[in-house]
Amino acid sequence: MNNMTDTVKQLLIINVLFFIGSYLVPQANELLSLHYFESDGFKFWQPITHMFMHGSLMHIFFNMFALISFGSALEHFWGAKKFLFFYLSCGLGAAIIHSGVNYYYFHDAQNFLIQSGVSVQDIQTLIKGDSVNINASDTALLQNYVNQMGDAFNNQAVGASGAIYGLLVAFAFMFPNAELMMMFIPVPVKAKYFVPVIVLLDLFSGVTGISLFGGNIAHFAHVGGALIGFIMMWYWKKNQFNQNRWDR
């Protein structure tokens, strides 16, 4: 904590204030969480504000622990402006990729339902969570697509995890041989191996639906933040990013 850098400290304070505020003003969750962009609940500011919202005490604890652990090291070497630009870019990229995946799942399910004879009006009813009478030869498959569509449309994303995954990738780029340990598994692993494994586990969970770290996790937001972080680090390294462009 004594080595916490200024921008990391400010981000920590903002996240904590948002977390407390979400309990004091419950309506804030509806306004600031990331909604599916084709729904009425979506607002243009949510791709930014969602990364300061968290769903539980453990959720914010793990994200802020990672922010302090990895973010302070990166800000120390980059300076405040470059670090903040990177952090927000990864969080925003995570929101875009998460929304893109939801768009695919929603319209994939919607097209299947229409081809199965479900009317557009009934689909609108299903999105609201109400039931309709549907004649189908495979009701289990139909229900899977209904669930897929509803999850994509109605679930709200919160958390700094996308930005945090970007920081993890950047840390692995800059300190590949630093030894890290997953909490509750006290086995040190070099960052260059640890981070890709964590990202691949999230990708596996996102594709298969088999979550290894609990339910209600936006796995593709994690993968999205890591992907944006990787692209930025690769670009900066390839082009020998000019440190003088950023005032410390």
Side-chain angles (χ1 to χ4, degrees):
M1 295 291 287
N2 293 332
N3 296 323
M4 192 189 312
T5 50
D6 289 341
T7 306
V8 167
K9 185 182 298 182
Q10 291 162 8
L11 288 171
L12 173 64
I13 292 171
I14 293 170
N15 275 277
V16 171
L17 290 176
F18 268 66
F19 183 71
I20 295 172
S22 67
Y23 281 91
L24 297 178
V25 185
Q27 297 88 341
N29 290 294
E30 183 70 18
L31 287 173
L32 303 180
S33 302
L34 180 62
H35 293 248
Y36 179 60
F37 66 91
E38 292 183 312
S39 75
D40 293 336
F42 177 77
K43 309 297 179 185
F44 69 89
W45 56 78
Q46 292 171 356
I48 293 294
T49 58
H50 89 283
M51 70 179 79
F52 298 103
M53 302 290 289
H54 289 85
S56 68
L57 185 61
M58 293 300 291
H59 189 199
I60 191 173
F61 171 78
F62 283 118
N63 276 346
M64 295 303 98
F65 178 81
L67 172 62
I68 295 169
S69 300
F70 302 106
S72 293
L74 294 171
E75 186 183 354
H76 175 76
F77 283 93
W78 285 347
K81 287 188 176 181
K82 183 178 176 181
F83 170 76
L84 186 60
F85 174 78
F86 183 88
Y87 179 88
L88 293 177
S89 296
C90 290
L92 182 59
I96 292 171
I97 291 173
H98 169 77
S99 298
V101 170
N102 275 347
Y103 177 86
Y104 168 78
Y105 280 131
F106 175 80
H107 285 278
D108 176 57
Q110 184 184 58
N111 291 337
F112 177 86
L113 293 174
I114 291 174
Q115 292 171 7
S116 300
V118 182
S119 69
V120 174
Q121 183 177 358
D122 283 343
I123 287 175
Q124 294 298 323
T125 302
L126 290 169
I127 289 173
K128 296 176 182 178
D130 298 328
S131 60
V132 297
N133 293 322
I134 300 174
N135 294 321
S137 57
D138 191 339
T139 55
L141 179 61
L142 195 68
Q143 186 61 50
N144 285 337
Y145 275 102
V146 169
N147 293 340
Q148 175 181 310
M149 184 180 63
D151 288 344
F153 193 89
N154 294 314
N155 282 354
Q156 301 173 22
V158 295
S161 301
I164 297 299
Y165 268 64
L167 297 185
L168 285 172
V169 169
F171 187 88
F173 258 85
M174 295 186 67
F175 312 103
N177 293 315
E179 293 188 336
L180 306 176
M181 289 188 294
M182 185 181 295
M183 197 166 288
F184 310 123
I185 305 179
V187 179
V189 181
K190 290 183 177 180
K192 61 184 177 183
Y193 304 125
F194 179 92
V195 174
V197 168
I198 292 297
V199 175
L200 287 173
L201 287 175
D202 261 299
L203 181 60
F204 169 82
S205 295
V207 172
T208 64
I210 303 173
S211 183
L212 304 175
F213 302 107
N216 201 28
I217 297 176
H219 294 289
F220 283 109
H222 296 179
V223 175
L227 177 61
I228 299 302
F230 176 84
I231 292 172
M232 293 178 68
M233 291 301 296
W234 174 83
Y235 178 81
W236 287 350
K237 184 176 181 180
K238 180 181 178 182
N239 292 275
Q240 297 181 340
F241 190 78
N242 184 3
Q243 296 281 354
N244 293 329
R245 290 180 57 197
W246 302 88
D247 296 326
R248 290 173 179 269

